[in-house]
Amino acid sequence: MPKGLMSIMTILLITYLSLDDNPFDANDVRLFEGMDKVVHCIMYWFLALILMIDWTKIKNNIKISAVSMWVCVAIAFAFSALMEYLQDAMGLGRAASWADALANFTGTILGFLSMKFVFNKWFFDTKQG
């Protein structure tokens, strides 16, 4: 798979999910109150993680630095802010929400922590052994 393709595909999917007024008939599914915040968190956890994984591929699978991880987190959160803004500005039946933005930010931080304490160690240790 070409380097960066997973990031592009993830960004396109999140764009669709964020801007469509009822993606996959999601408004009809309610498992519990606040479920959408969990979905926001998972989407941006995944985006941050994919950005960091693609970064390691671009750098020939070397361990990603903390600075590079924070850059990926900043990109993921900036993208999340853009999606929240567009939801409000485009008038497509979606509205911006501080709670959604907080869930998005939480997801990006969880992506950082996942890479720092789980995936980065796993990728790096796998390459050494």
Side-chain angles (χ1 to χ4, degrees):
M1 177 174 292
K3 296 175 183 178
L5 184 60
M6 283 300 296
S7 292
I8 292 168
M9 290 171 36
T10 303
I11 287 169
L12 291 173
L13 177 62
I14 291 174
T15 299
Y16 169 71
L17 293 173
S18 297
L19 298 180
D20 188 83
D21 65 339
N22 189 12
F24 306 118
D25 296 321
N27 293 339
D28 299 334
V29 178
R30 288 282 178 208
L31 298 177
F32 56 89
E33 187 67 31
M35 181 185 76
D36 65 316
K37 305 308 178 247
V38 173
V39 171
H40 278 261
C41 187
I42 291 169
M43 284 191 316
Y44 285 93
W45 166 80
F46 189 73
L47 176 60
L49 199 56
I50 289 298
L51 289 171
M52 289 182 261
I53 290 170
D54 274 351
W55 183 269
T56 63
K57 289 179 182 178
I58 290 167
K59 295 293 186 176
N60 296 319
N61 293 324
I62 60 171
K63 187 174 180 181
I64 188 170
S65 71
V67 171
S68 296
M69 285 191 282
W70 282 115
V71 168
C72 291
V73 165
I75 290 168
F77 187 67
F79 178 73
S80 119
L82 174 65
M83 290 298 102
E84 290 299 317
Y85 171 77
L86 289 176
Q87 284 177 355
D88 213 37
M90 293 178 70
L92 297 173
R94 304 289 299 262
S97 161
W98 285 106
D100 288 351
L102 179 61
N104 298 346
F105 179 71
T106 301
T108 61
I109 295 301
L110 290 174
F112 170 82
L113 294 172
S114 297
M115 181 57 89
K116 181 169 178 63
F117 295 111
V118 178
F119 295 104
N120 206 16
K121 181 175 176 30
W122 181 77
F123 286 144
F124 187 68
D125 288 349
T126 302
K127 296 297 176 197
Q128 296 299 321

